[in-house]
Amino acid sequence: MHMVTGFAEACSPCTCLAGSLLQSMIPEDSDFFGVYAGSSKEPDTTITHGTLRFPNFVIESGWSESFPRLRADKDLWIHGGAGRVIILLLIKWSLLANGKVSGTVEVWSGDANGNDLLMQVESIFPGPPPHLAGAQALRFTRAQLFGNVVGATRNPAKSLRSTLTRLRSLATRALSKMGLQRA
């Protein structure tokens, strides 16, 4: 069983990423380790497998003025999660002149030594020319998304990709409801 949960402020384009709210599974204070012990964090969106309480895939989103806070959240999840968060997406939105919004997504992971690794950076807005947009994708392996529940008959190293086209479409609608436009 794979659980997707989503929480975001109504004013954030990240609400489009949440999909559907299935169940609230927020890590408790005792779930973080090291200097982060006693911390708690409500993620914007997560994927959690089976009966695990702690997510292995986390999405955090915010506006440019909160980007230092997003980076601190990344550290909490990756370092305080003690290797349980395999993939973390940071989505940064920036309000530009004339109500236009730019956005970027960073894909982070942690290594066995507790170091965080920036794996990929992509522009959401402005996007590439339409004829190239389908080629822009986030790439993960089955093992990164599904952890140890990949299944014995599945190749955990198989590469999976998710284009940014759908995210752009959903974010464009969310921005429109806020009276904003994509850059």
Side-chain angles (χ1 to χ4, degrees), residues 26-90:
I26 301 168
E28 295 179 351
D29 295 350
S30 61
D31 289 340
F32 291 102
F33 294 95
V35 298
Y36 301 98
S39 298
S40 63
K41 177 71 177 92
E42 185 176 291
D44 289 330
T45 302
T46 66
I47 297 175
T48 304
H49 302 288
T51 59
L52 299 176
R53 283 196 40 79
F54 207 87
N56 67 301
F57 185 98
V58 175
I59 300 173
E60 291 286 356
S61 175
W63 293 92
S64 58
E65 64 271 8
S66 67
F67 202 59
R69 182 71 236 158
L70 283 175
R71 286 282 172 91
D73 291 346
K74 171 203 47 103
D75 293 341
L76 171 68
W77 286 111
I78 290 179
H79 300 290
R84 293 175 291 174
V85 174
I86 300 168
I87 295 289
L88 184 133
L89 302 182
L90 286 185

Side-chain angles (χ1 to χ4, degrees), residues 7 17 32 36-37 43 46 56 74 93 104 107 109 121 124 136 139-140 142 144 155 165-166 173 176:
F7 302 89
L17 293 174
F32 291 102
Y36 301 98
T46 66
N56 67 301
K74 171 203 47 103
W93 305 104
T104 59
V107 180
S109 187
V121 178
I124 302 167
Q136 187 185 29
R139 289 170 177 76
F140 311 103
R142 276 193 179 130
Q144 289 173 318
N155 177 1
T165 304
R166 176 82 172 136
R173 282 192 297 230
S176 177

